[in-house]
Amino acid sequence: MSAPFIQFRGITKTFGGVTALDEVSFGIARGECHGLMGENGAGKSTLGNVLAGIHKPDAGELLIDGVPHRFGSPRAALAAGVAMVHQELAFCPDLSIAENLCMGHYPRRWGGLLLDRDAMRRHAGQLLAEIGVVLDVERPMGGLSTAQEQLVQIAAAVGNTPRILVFDEPTSSLSEPEAQALFALIEALKRRGLTMIYVSHRMPELFRLCDQVSVLRDGRYVGSLARERMTPDAVVRMMIGRSLETHAPRHLAAPAGEVVLRVRGLASPGRFQDVSFDVRAGEIVGFAGLVGAGRSEVATAIFGLDSRVTGQVGLDGAPFPLRSIKAAMGVGIGLVPEDRKRQGCVPGMPCRANISLAILGRLRRLGMLNFTRERQLARRYFDRLQVKAASLDAPVNSLSGGNQQKIVLAKWLARGGRLLIVDEPTRGVDVGAKAAIHALLDDLAREGLAILLISSELPEVIALSTRVLVMRQGRIVGELPHADATQDAVLRLMAGVGRAACGIRKKV
Amino acid sequence: MDAAAVPVRSPRRFRFVAAQELGLVLVVILLAAVLSLYGWYDASPGRPNLFLSFDNLIDGIATPMSYYAIMAVGLTLVIITGGIDISVGAIMALAALGGAAALQALPPDAPAMLVLPVAILVPTGIGLLCGLVNGGLIVGLSLHPFIVTLGTMSVFRGLANVLPAEKTLPAAGKHLPAAFTTDFMRLEIMGMQLMPLAIMLICVALGWFYLRLMVAGRETYAVGGNEEAARFSGLGVGAIKLRTYAIAGLAAGVAGMVSLGRFGTASTSTGSGYELTVIAAAVVGGASLQGGRGTAIGALLGTLVIALIENGILILRLAQEYRLVIIGLAIIVAVSLDRLSGCLGRRRSAPLPAAPPPPPVTPGPETRS
Ligand SMILES: Nc1ncnc2c1ncn2[C@@H]1O[C@H](COP(=O)(O)OP(=O)(O)OP(=O)(O)O)[C@@H](O)[C@H]1O
Ligand SMILES: [Mg+2]
C-alpha cells in the first residue's frame, strides 16, 4: 500500500482540561471515503476541525500528500484544498442564500467596487444545482429550516472545489430522500477522485458510502475497519467496548389509554392546514414527512409559539388556548425543539442551569434558587442520559453536539407533564446514547406519558411509534399503525405516491 | 435512580470573586499600590500619604464613585439581558430634582420620621417609574433599547429642565431639611461621611444576591444568553426585561437620592454625561454587551478602577486636560486585561474536571424505579 494521502501523526488537542484528541495517528488513502465514528465527545468533530483549520493541534503533525501542514485558519485550509461541512451551522441569518454562498469571494463589477448581484445569483444557483437542490437564492438565510441550511452549507463546501471534503454529520437534519440525494452526490464526488471524511452516527449510510471506517474513543484512535469487516456489531464494539443489545419498544404491547392531546382543524396560513389528530396516554405518535412538510411547525404551534394559528386543541378533554406558551406548559406540554442551538439551550450557561431552565418555578424558595436540588437534578439526568462533560458547571457550548442534545432533552424530561413533543430527539446522538434515549421514551410512554415524536430518521420513527402520521405539504396525508408502518409504505406517503394502494385509513 | 444518594456539593456557589473578576482585582491592587507609593513619596514631611488617607479614600474616591457604582449595578442587569440603558443619567437628575422639590416644601427642621420617608420614596419612586417607562416601551413596542433610551434620555432630561421653576433646587432662600442632609447623608462617623459608601455597598450586595442566588437572576442570564431558548423554555421574556429596566431606573433613583443628600441641591445638569461612565464601568467590570455575562461585584470593581484612575490623575498631578484621554485609554486597557486574564483563568481552572459519572453498566434500557 502506498503512503496515505492524509496522514495524522500523534495529533493531540486539549480544551482547558478536556483532552479532545490524544495522539491520534492514522492514514487515509487517496480517493477514498473514510468514515469516522465514535461516541459523543469522542473527538470526531475536533479531528475534522484540525484538518479544516478551525483548531490548531497542540501537538502532532498533519501530512497531506506527504507535505506537512499546520493550518492557522479555515482560509489556509481552503487554500490547501480542504473544505468542511460543519456539524453546527453558522451563517449570517439576515443575508440571502446567495450572499452567504458567495461569502469571501463576492463577484465584483466596476473594478471591484460594486457587487455583481446577477453573477452572485447565477453562481449561487449553480452551486445549489450542482448538488441538486432547488431554492430561491434571494431568500434570507434566517428563514430556512435546519435541513435547508444544511443543504446550503454542503453546496458551499462542494463549491470550493476542494481535494478533501469533511462531512460532519451531514444527514443529521435531512430526511430520507434528501439524504439519498446527498449519497448520490458523494458517490459522484468519489468518482471525481475527491478524498472524503464522513462523520456520522448512522451505520447504514456509513456502510453504504465508506471504504474504510475509523473509530475514536475518548479522543484516542481505536482502529479502522475495511469494507469487508464492517458490521454494526464490530463497529459498536470498537466504539464502546461492548455489544449493544437492541430491544423492542415495550409500550407497544400495552393498550393505549385515554386521549391526552386532541387537535382539530389546526391551520396556520402558509405552514399547514386542516391538521387533526389525537395522541393517547402511553402512545408514541410518530410524525414522518419530508423536510418542509410542516411537522415542526405543527409542534411549535401546539406549544403556543405560532401567533397566527387557528383551530381547537384540548388536553385531557379540556380545551386550552392556542398562541400561549404559558397555557401550553400549564396544561403539561413540553417541547424539545428542533434547533438546539437557537431554541434549545443557552450556550453560555452551565449545563445544570440549562437543565433547570424550564422548572425554575419549582426550584424557587422565597425567590431564591435551590442550588442543592438543582445539582441533584442535573446529576440525575447526567447519569441517566450518559452526558459527557467536564462537570455540571461546564457551559453547554463546550460540549460535543450529541451531548448538547442530551442537555436539551434533560431540560424537558426534568419538567415532565402530560405530553412531550420531541422534535429530532436523537439528532447527532451516538448509538449507545440513542438506544438509551429510545429506551427512555419507551419507558415514559409506558408510564402513561403521551409522546409526539418528530424525526427525519425513518427507522427511528418506525421502530418507536405506536402510529405513524405522515405529513406532506402541510397536511396529514395518512396514518399507519405500527404493524403497517414499513419504510416503503411511509416513504410512499411522504412522496405522495400510492396513497390508495397502501390502503390508508384517512383520519377524520 | 436515587437522587438523594448522589453526593451533592456546590463548590462554586460561595466563591465570591469569579475567575473573570480576578483580573480586575489585580488591576485595582496594582493601581492602589502605585498610587500609595507615589502618595507617600510626594507627601510633604509629616503629612499623611496623599492617596492612602481616609480623607482621600472616602471623600476622593468612595463618595464620588458611589453614584456611578449604584447605577452600574442596575445597568449591569440590563446589559446581561443584552440591552442597554443610556437614560440613567437623566433619570438620576429627574429623581434628584423631584426629591428636592418635595423636600423643600418641608420645614428645614422637620423631624427625620417625616423627612426620610419622603427623601427616600420620592427619588426612588421617580426612578422606578422612569425605568418602567423604558421597559414598557422596549417590551411593548419591541424597539431596540438603545433607540428607546436615547429618546427617553432626551425626554427625561427635558422634563428636568422644564418642570422645576428654577435651574437649581431648593429654590433661593430655601433649604433641604437637615434631617436628610447633614444628619443622614452627610452623617459623620469618626469624622468620615460613610453614608454614600454604605448605600453603595448595600446596592452591590443586593445586586449580587439578585443575580447569584435568586431565580430572577438566573432568568436574567438566560434571556441575555439566548432569548429564543428562554422563550422556548417558558420564561416570560417580556416581564423579565420590564423588571430589569425598572430595576435600572430604581438604581438611578437611588443615585439621585444620594447625590441630593450629599450636595443638598439638585440641578438640571445633575448626572449629565454619567451614562457613559456608568456603561464604561459596567463593561470594565466584565459585562458583555452581547448579553449573558456580567456580575454585580464586577460592576463595583469596574467603577473602582475608573475612580482610581480619576483619583490618580489628581494625585500624580497630571494635566487635567488629558483626563479624558487617560480614562479612555485606561478603559480599553482594563477591558483587554480582563479578557486576557479571563482566558488564562479558564485555562488554569479547567484542568480539574469533576469526577465523571460512573460508566453505565448496561448501555440501552434504562430502568426506572
Ligand atoms: N470549544 C471547546 N471548548 C471546550 N471543550 C471542547 C470544545 N470543543 C470540543 N470540546 C470537547 O472536546 C471533546 C470532543 O468534542 P467533539 O466535538 O470533537 O466530539 P464529537 O466526537 O464530534 O462528538 P459528537 O458526536 O457529539 O458531535 C468533548 O469532550 C468536548 O466537550
Ligand atoms: Mg461532533
Side-chain angles (χ1 to χ4, degrees):
Chain A
M1 201 170 149
S2 58
F5 183 52
I6 305 169
Q7 177 78 51
F8 297 105
R9 277 200 198 140
I11 303 272
T12 299
K13 174 79 198 172
T14 55
F15 295 100
V18 184
T19 306
L21 293 174
D22 190 1
E23 307 234 344
V24 171
S25 308
F26 68 98
I28 296 173
R30 187 192 298 270
E32 88 177 356
C33 179
H34 196 101
L36 203 53
M37 291 201 74
E39 287 182 80
N40 292 131
K44 305 177 298 293
S45 302
T46 310
L47 191 67
N49 285 337
V50 165
L51 186 58
I54 313 267
H55 294 323
K56 266 195 223 148
D58 300 339
E61 247 194 330
L62 165 67
L63 282 82
I64 298 177
D65 218 358
V67 186
H69 282 281
R70 200 179 156 79
F71 301 129
S73 69
R75 223 187 163 82
L78 262 183
V82 184
M84 179 160 174
V85 178
H86 291 280
Q87 181 177 15
E88 306 294 336
L89 310 164
F91 285 107
C92 304
D94 295 325
L95 296 185
S96 71
I97 296 178
E99 282 163 326
N100 271 293
L101 271 176
C102 298
M103 193 160 297
H105 43 262
Y106 288 122
R108 320 262 179 118
R109 278 190 304 172
W110 284 24
L113 276 180
L114 294 186
L115 199 59
D116 188 343
R117 292 196 167 273
D118 288 333
M120 189 167 77
R121 259 196 301 275
R122 265 198 315 278
H123 182 60
Q126 261 165 20
L127 290 182
L128 288 174
E130 190 153 337
I131 66 161
V133 174
V134 187
L135 276 174
D136 177 8
V137 296
E138 297 279 296
R139 277 173 66 184
M141 206 66 206
L144 300 190
S145 71
T146 327
Q148 289 166 328
E149 281 183 4
Q150 185 85 58
L151 292 171
V152 172
Q153 201 186 8
I154 293 171
V158 173
N160 285 317
T161 54
R163 294 191 287 166
I164 299 168
L165 191 49
V166 184
F167 287 99
D168 195 354
E169 304 195 22
T171 49
S172 62
S173 51
L174 300 185
S175 73
E176 198 64 34
E178 289 137 342
Q180 293 298 336
L182 174 68
F183 302 155
L185 171 76
I186 289 177
E187 271 153 6
L189 291 174
K190 202 153 90 179
R191 280 195 295 277
R192 266 198 247 161
L194 251 77
T195 308
M196 281 171 286
I197 296 182
Y198 191 89
V199 181
S200 177
H201 292 294
R202 301 186 183 177
M203 272 184 263
E205 59 191 52
L206 279 157
F207 295 168
R208 167 173 173 186
L209 294 171
C210 300
D211 308 299
Q212 186 101 356
V213 171
S214 293
V215 175
L216 296 179
R217 192 200 305 169
D218 293 332
R220 276 185 291 274
Y221 170 70
V222 183
S224 302
L225 288 174
R227 187 157 202 129
E228 319 71 78
R229 294 198 294 130
M230 279 180 214
T231 61
D233 195 52
V235 175
V236 169
R237 255 173 197 293
M238 283 174 89
M239 271 173 68
I240 57 181
R242 53 171 194 263
S243 304
L244 197 67
E245 71 240 39
T246 48
H247 73 118
R250 283 170 294 181
H251 72 89
L252 293 171
E258 295 292 297
V259 171
V260 173
L261 177 76
R262 165 182 290 261
V263 176
R264 287 294 174 271
L266 206 64
S268 177
R271 297 183 177 170
F272 52 85
Q273 309 93 41
D274 192 23
V275 170
S276 304
F277 62 94
D278 291 336
V279 185
R280 294 169 175 278
E283 262 190 337
I284 299 182
V285 172
F287 261 67
L290 292 183
V291 165
R295 297 166 299 162
S296 301
E297 285 78 2
V298 170
T300 45
I302 293 171
F303 192 58
L305 282 160
D306 184 337
S307 56
R308 293 190 302 164
V309 71
T310 54
Q312 274 98 45
V313 282
L315 201 104
D316 287 334
F320 65 93
L322 281 164
R323 300 190 288 272
S324 153
I325 294 197
K326 276 230 155 61
M329 281 176 71
V331 295
I333 299 179
L335 170 71
V336 175
E338 177 187 22
D339 187 336
R340 65 167 165 260
K341 217 164 130 202
R342 266 205 305 246
Q343 306 158 338
C345 59
V346 185
M349 291 210 311
C351 294
R352 69 177 153 80
N354 269 283
I355 292 176
S356 66
L357 204 54
I359 50 162
L360 284 176
R362 283 187 223 156
L363 296 178
R364 189 195 329 247
R365 212 172 37 193
L366 300 173
M368 302 216 325
L369 195 64
N370 186 337
F371 285 88
T372 315
R373 279 194 51 200
E374 181 183 50
R375 288 186 159 268
Q376 280 173 350
L377 192 90
R379 167 65 58 204
R380 181 153 87 226
Y381 285 99
F382 259 54
D383 289 346
R384 209 166 164 185
L385 298 177
Q386 303 159 28
V387 178
K388 188 174 174 240
S391 74
L392 294 179
D393 292 317
V396 170
N397 54 11
S398 75
L399 268 57
S400 75
N403 283 305
Q404 295 184 3
Q405 182 67 39
K406 294 180 201 169
I407 299 290
V408 182
L409 200 56
K411 175 170 75 183
W412 288 103
L413 293 183
R415 187 174 165 90
R418 298 286 299 141
L419 171 80
L420 187 62
I421 307 175
V422 285
D423 199 349
E424 308 289 355
T426 59
R427 164 177 298 167
V429 169
D430 68 46
V431 279
K434 184 186 269 181
I437 290 175
H438 287 172
L440 193 69
L441 291 176
D442 184 29
D443 280 345
L444 292 171
R446 278 200 312 146
E447 283 168 18
L449 195 72
I451 296 176
L452 197 73
L453 166 72
I454 301 173
S455 171
S456 353
E457 211 182 325
L458 266 192
E460 175 169 282
V461 185
I462 290 172
L464 273 175
S465 308
T466 326
R467 292 179 285 136
V468 179
L469 300 180
V470 182
M471 282 192 77
R472 188 176 65 243
Q473 292 170 357
R475 290 174 188 279
I476 294 185
V477 292
E479 175 183 335
L480 296 165
H482 184 79
D484 299 346
T486 59
Q487 178 121 357
D488 194 47
V490 177
L491 271 175
R492 275 159 171 274
L493 276 173
M494 278 164 67
V497 285
R499 181 197 300 187
C502 289
I504 305 309
R505 289 173 290 136
K506 182 121 190 348
K507 189 85 194 149
V508 257
Chain B
M1 184 151 305
D2 187 4
V6 180
V8 175
R9 290 284 313 130
S10 42
R12 296 183 68 191
R13 192 168 132 200
F14 294 112
R15 197 195 286 170
F16 207 66
V17 177
Q20 60 169 15
E21 286 149 10
L22 215 66
L24 277 173
V25 173
L26 291 180
V27 171
V28 167
I29 292 176
L30 200 76
L31 281 172
V34 169
L35 292 177
S36 308
L37 270 180
Y38 189 84
W40 168 76
Y41 160 80
D42 201 35
S44 34
R47 305 280 304 152
N49 188 322
L50 287 182
F51 172 76
L52 215 53
S53 63
F54 282 116
D55 267 355
N56 184 53
L57 290 183
I58 301 293
D59 295 340
I61 298 176
T63 304
M65 80 176 268
S66 62
Y67 331 113
Y68 294 122
I70 291 166
M71 289 196 280
V73 172
L75 193 73
T76 295
L77 301 193
V78 170
I79 292 180
I80 290 173
T81 64
I84 190 78
D85 183 348
I86 57 170
S87 70
V88 286
I91 296 178
M92 176 179 166
L94 210 52
L97 285 167
L103 287 173
Q104 70 175 359
L106 299 174
D109 53 355
M113 291 281 288
L114 176 66
V115 172
L116 287 186
V118 174
I120 292 170
L121 289 180
V122 172
T124 53
I126 292 175
L128 188 66
L129 203 68
C130 294
L132 283 170
V133 169
N134 279 337
L137 288 172
I138 289 163
V139 174
L141 305 177
S142 35
L143 293 175
H144 194 282
F146 183 84
I147 307 297
V148 169
T149 55
L150 186 68
T152 54
M153 170 172 82
S154 184
V155 171
F156 295 153
R157 181 67 66 188
L159 288 177
N161 277 326
V162 295
L163 288 184
E166 277 146 285
K167 285 250 176 275
T168 307
L169 291 180
K174 289 193 174 177
H175 287 285
L176 295 188
F180 175 53
T181 53
T182 40
D183 296 342
F184 181 73
M185 205 56 84
R186 287 202 292 258
L187 181 70
E188 298 212 344
I189 300 168
M190 293 185 295
M192 289 173 289
Q193 296 177 4
L194 294 178
M195 210 46 150
L197 174 66
I199 294 176
M200 166 177 84
L201 292 179
I202 289 170
C203 287
V204 173
L206 286 176
W208 179 85
F209 185 82
Y210 180 89
L211 283 175
R212 207 54 189 275
L213 300 183
M214 285 179 66
V215 171
R218 174 64 65 73
E219 290 172 341
T220 313
Y221 284 109
V223 167
N226 185 348
E227 192 173 323
E228 194 167 354
R231 185 171 292 122
F232 268 74
S233 303
L235 301 191
V237 174
I240 294 169
K241 285 188 173 175
L242 179 66
R243 182 172 76 203
T244 309
Y245 286 94
I247 293 175
L250 181 68
V254 173
M257 173 191 82
V258 173
S259 139
L260 178 65
R262 177 171 146 72
F263 293 113
T265 63
S267 83
T268 52
S269 62
T270 295
S272 63
Y274 278 30
E275 51 279 338
L276 293 184
T277 311
V278 174
I279 293 171
V283 171
V284 169
S288 158
L289 288 176
Q290 273 139 42
R293 247 171 57 108
T295 61
I297 308 275
L300 175 69
L301 290 172
T303 321
L304 185 56
V305 168
I306 293 180
L308 283 177
I309 293 168
E310 296 237 16
N311 190 242
I313 293 170
L314 288 175
I315 302 272
L316 300 177
R317 304 217 183 89
L318 299 177
Q320 282 296 307
E321 294 77 44
Y322 289 106
R323 198 182 128 252
L324 288 177
V325 176
I326 295 173
I327 290 179
L329 290 176
I331 288 170
I332 293 171
V333 170
V335 172
S336 346
L337 276 182
D338 165 49
R339 296 291 183 273
L340 197 69
S341 74
C343 290
L344 295 178
R346 260 198 300 286
R347 217 168 279 168
R348 258 184 282 107
S349 63
L352 288 173
V361 201
T362 48
E366 252 271 0
T367 39
R368 282 162 52 94
S369 43

